[in-house]
Amino acid sequence: APQSASPEALDAVRAALVAGGAPETLARPAVGALGEQAAELLRTDPWQLLAVPGVRPEQADGFARALLGADCGPDDGRRTAALVGWVLERAALQGHTALDAEAVRAALAERAVSDPDAAVREAVEEGVALLFQEGEDEEPEEDEAAEEGGLAPDADTAREPVRILLGLDRYALAEESLADGLARLVNTCEKAADWAEAAAAAPSPSAAELIRTTAAAGLVAHSGGEAARAEPAALIAAARGLGLRAFGAAHSEDGRRRLAAATGDPDTAVTLAGLLSGAQGPGRDEDGAFALDLLVVLDAPQLDVESAAVLVEALADGARLVLSGDPGVLGSAGAGRVFADVLAARTCPQVVSRTPDPGPIDELVSGIGIGELNQVDAPGREVVIVPVRDAGEAVHRTVQLVADSVPRAFSIPADETQVITVGHGGAAGTRVLNEALKQRLNPGPGRFGGFDPGDRVVHVPAPGRAVPGVVRSADAEGLHLDCGGVPVVVPQERVESSVRHGWALSAHQAAGMRWPAAVVVLPGDAAAGLSRPWVYTAFGRGERHLSVVHGVDQALPHAVAEVPAQERTTRLRPLLEALPTPDAAS
């Protein structure tokens, strides 16, 4: 929520919330979601409360009944419109930028809406949602002419079924802007003739291929595992050697440091968030575009559609963009599947790394990527399986590994070992594990909003961003963190909502980062949350050592072999496929 919310607006919202029986603690997030006029909006349309993160329909219904009395019912237009928006926002949290209209209607029916079709139509008319059609093979006027002539399509000319999608305008605009921006990069970049010598001097065949391909294209997709990160680093170094302004943007501060080490120049590496905010990187030119000629985005699967749209819009005509990442990892925390859609649309050259990931952990992860959970030879105990019977034992063994076994056997201190588990709740989720790990590693009263100096934490400055850090101190200004060498101050009113203990993370939070050691916790109740991308991501976070606290029996090999990534409904791929390529335009 914006910190600039006026005291008057907060007081007015608190009064409205109290009148409807809702907790006053929702005041600040309500102003953040609805703006300074939140109180007036809530009194005239109580279901606007659904725009506040964490509020559920039954809670908004109770709030509305308290304010409106008998004047409200399940088919109230304000309610059905808010429900459509809520369903689509919930879908966005699962990565979808749009939903099949039938799924939206079914969700409305579950919420006692008697005419879901009418509710969807009204929501579209009111601008709550946008409607899209996919799967059309013919122009509409051709269909109308056929109907007027009394013709029906035969089996050979029948069109593909039309798919009706609903989406929120923010994601629709982001996908359309991104598609146009990527096409602009493809069509405005001129082939460079002076990169041959740089390619010949590349450290590997795959790096040479990436350099040659980037010389000839404005947009390139590069994929590979952890070892393949050396290839975009070689590209950046080669481009800089040619006098170009080349930079690499990683998902995390850890990724930025690793990229800087690979290029040998800390000025070449930024985080994506730092680049977009202007805190890192080359700055902007007189036209407002990034002052660069080549940008390589590492950890590209973590790129959500809104961030990608903002990024591409800020690239000047003629700039080159390389999207680089491992297609096997979990997707972005935000809506969209940008990297996967670019790969699937095949509207730009693709370079697949042939550089193998060395070592037992990487051998294990490579097998998982193709659906095989193999035993690997680990003479240095790089991979250790720790069987457990229940969640309680899983927590006990995890604490033992982090505090004692891993430091003793591998000389890796506890603060360089990351615990990864399936979810935040449950008997061995992040909350329980963090409580147990704090008690062992940094006990204290939690006098700063539940935190003590030395606590490992994760700061969530915005939805989908998880930044690991360590608590240094606290004062009237807020909670002072050290996030990978970057000082961060979290205001007191934001601590509860944006800071969590971070000895244990979910795999989504850990994506894009690596630690010397990782302990992956799989208690029995985690089986339903496992998938091949989850296992692939979690098992790949340890550089030197991986311990697996294993209590899911055959659910683990089943997930690796049989449970692929959850499909996301997006519109970027067909938008990219519909755009003209340079050859088509000529």
Side-chain angles (χ1 to χ4, degrees):
Q3 299 168 25
S4 58
S6 68
E8 295 80 10
L10 289 171
D11 288 342
V13 172
R14 288 189 187 99
L17 292 169
V18 170
E24 292 184 46
T25 53
L26 294 177
R28 190 173 294 277
V31 175
L34 302 173
E36 290 283 303
Q37 304 302 313
E40 181 181 347
L41 284 171
L42 289 172
R43 289 187 182 277
T44 57
D45 182 355
W47 287 283
Q48 290 285 329
L49 193 66
L50 275 177
V52 178
V55 174
R56 296 189 55 79
E58 52 269 24
Q59 296 168 319
D61 286 339
F63 181 66
R65 282 193 299 271
L67 288 181
L68 302 179
D71 292 335
C72 68
D75 290 317
D76 189 300
R78 293 167 293 184
R79 178 180 189 263
T80 58
L83 282 174
V84 170
W86 179 79
V87 169
L88 294 175
E89 288 284 8
R90 293 264 297 177
L93 294 175
Q94 301 299 317
H96 306 287
T97 60
L99 268 190
D100 193 293
E102 186 55 42
V104 178
R105 288 192 288 264
L108 294 177
E110 291 177 358
R111 297 288 172 181
V113 175
S114 63
D115 191 345
D117 287 332
V120 167
R121 285 196 301 271
E122 290 172 12
V124 171
E125 291 170 1
E126 293 293 326
V128 174
L130 299 180
L131 183 146
F132 309 98
Q133 295 185 2
E134 289 188 354
E136 294 184 68
D137 285 343
E138 299 177 3
E139 294 297 321
E141 53 267 26
E142 294 176 354
D143 289 346
E144 293 167 4
E147 291 173 6
E148 290 171 2
L151 301 176
D154 58 31
D156 294 328
T157 61
R159 290 168 39 181
E160 290 291 324
V162 176
R163 188 184 187 193
I164 307 298
L165 299 177
L166 291 173
L168 297 171
D169 59 356
R170 59 184 282 196
Y171 300 117
L173 292 173
E175 286 187 306
E176 290 162 9
S177 171
L178 177 57
D180 290 341
L182 292 175
R184 174 176 59 83
L185 295 179
V186 169
N187 291 312
T188 60
C189 183
E190 296 182 0
K191 184 174 181 178
D194 55 351
W195 292 42
E197 187 175 335
S204 70
S206 291
E209 182 184 0
L210 180 59
I211 293 170
R212 288 193 299 268
T213 304
T214 305
L219 175 66
V220 176
H222 169 260
S223 57
E226 189 64 29
R229 294 172 75 96
E231 294 153 23
L235 169 64
I236 293 168
R240 288 226 161 194
L242 294 167
L244 298 177
R245 301 168 298 175
F247 294 85
H251 176 63
S252 64
E253 181 62 27
D254 167 67
R256 187 204 65 78
R257 287 197 304 270
R258 286 185 282 136
L259 176 61
T263 62
D265 183 354
D267 292 336
T268 63
V270 299
T271 63
L272 184 62
L275 177 67
L276 292 176
S277 70
Q280 299 174 346
R284 307 267 183 156
D285 62 21
E286 61 273 12
D287 297 320
F290 291 130
L292 52 76
D293 304 300
L294 166 66
L295 177 65
V296 181
V297 177
L298 283 81
D299 311 306
Q302 305 308 309
L303 190 61
D304 67 272
V305 69
E306 290 186 298
S307 298
V310 173
L311 176 73
V312 171
E313 186 178 350
L315 293 175
D317 289 357
R320 287 173 163 81
L321 174 65
V322 176
L323 298 177
S324 175
D326 187 339
V329 302
L330 288 165
S332 63
R337 54 191 299 268
V338 173
F339 190 52
D341 282 339
V342 168
L343 291 174
R346 306 195 70 82
T347 52
C348 70
Q350 299 184 15
V351 176
V352 179
S353 173
R354 299 186 299 278
T355 304
D357 288 318
I361 297 176
D362 293 316
E363 181 184 348
L364 174 65
V365 171
S366 295
I368 291 168
I370 59 173
E372 298 175 357
L373 186 64
N374 301 318
Q375 286 190 334
V376 296
D377 184 23
R381 301 191 71 204
E382 294 88 349
V383 179
V384 174
I385 307 299
V386 182
V388 293
R389 294 182 298 273
D390 53 41
E393 186 181 3
V395 173
H396 173 75
R397 294 304 301 273
T398 298
V399 173
Q400 186 180 53
L401 284 164
V402 174
D404 182 34
S405 303
V406 172
R408 185 178 67 251
F410 304 101
S411 300
I412 298 174
D415 59 3
E416 294 182 6
T417 298
Q418 184 60 55
V419 175
I420 300 168
T421 191
V422 173
H424 300 299
T430 61
R431 297 186 188 96
V432 171
L433 284 166
N434 275 315
E435 183 178 352
L437 287 161
K438 174 175 172 53
Q439 190 173 24
R440 175 67 183 272
L441 298 171
N442 195 46
R447 59 185 181 276
F448 301 140
F451 302 99
D452 294 295
D455 278 358
R456 279 178 68 174
V457 295
V458 58
H459 177 220
V460 183
R465 282 191 60 208
V467 183
V470 177
V471 175
R472 292 306 182 207
S473 63
D475 54 27
E477 192 179 1
L479 194 67
H480 292 253
L481 310 178
D482 178 345
C483 295
V486 178
V488 173
V489 181
V490 183
Q492 289 183 6
E493 67 271 15
R494 297 283 294 151
V495 170
E496 183 178 356
S497 61
S498 66
V499 182
R500 298 285 185 272
H501 283 112
W503 286 280
L505 301 177
S506 69
H508 286 88
Q509 291 175 320
M513 293 180 273
R514 299 258 284 180
W515 291 267
V519 177
V520 177
V521 186
L522 303 175
D525 61 0
L530 296 180
S531 66
R532 184 185 306 157
W534 193 96
V535 179
Y536 185 92
T537 303
F539 282 25
R541 297 312 94 200
E543 294 173 327
R544 294 165 47 197
H545 175 73
L546 167 68
S547 281
V548 180
V549 180
H550 189 356
V552 290
D553 298 324
Q554 293 305 305
L556 179 58
H558 170 77
V560 170
E562 305 291 342
V563 186
Q566 179 187 351
E567 286 296 322
R568 297 186 178 193
T569 302
T570 66
R571 298 176 52 246
L572 182 59
R573 177 181 177 178
L575 288 171
L576 290 172
E577 291 173 338
L579 291 170
T581 62
D583 291 337
S586 61

